[in-house]
Amino acid sequence: MISRVRIFYTLGIISLIGAALFPMGYLKSFNVFISLFILGVIFILIAQIQQKKK
């Protein structure tokens, strides 16, 4: 079974890669970029907190 920490790390990395690859030419896409970036950082922080609890 995949651990919860690995799932959060994976989601965080996918969100950060999605934010990096998203086109920045549009005003609407900037909001998507910010939300993907923030979600990626939050997922990675949650994974680190879960890892410290173990």
Side-chain angles (χ1 to χ4, degrees), residues 36-47:
L36 280 175
F37 183 77
I38 291 173
L39 273 175
V41 171
I42 288 173
F43 281 141
I44 290 175
L45 287 176
I46 289 173

Side-chain angles (χ1 to χ4, degrees), residues 10-25:
T10 305
L11 287 174
I13 290 170
I14 289 172
S15 295
L16 289 177
I17 290 172
L21 295 178
F22 209 84
M24 294 291 291

Side-chain angles (χ1 to χ4, degrees), residues 2-38:
I2 300 174
S3 69
R4 190 179 300 181
V5 174
R6 181 172 279 193
I7 291 172
F8 279 121
Y9 273 127
T10 305
L11 287 174
I13 290 170
I14 289 172
S15 295
L16 289 177
I17 290 172
L21 295 178
F22 209 84
M24 294 291 291
Y26 306 105
L27 184 62
K28 293 178 185 177
S29 69
F30 187 70
N31 293 333
V32 174
F33 166 76
I34 294 295
S35 61
L36 280 175
F37 183 77
I38 291 173

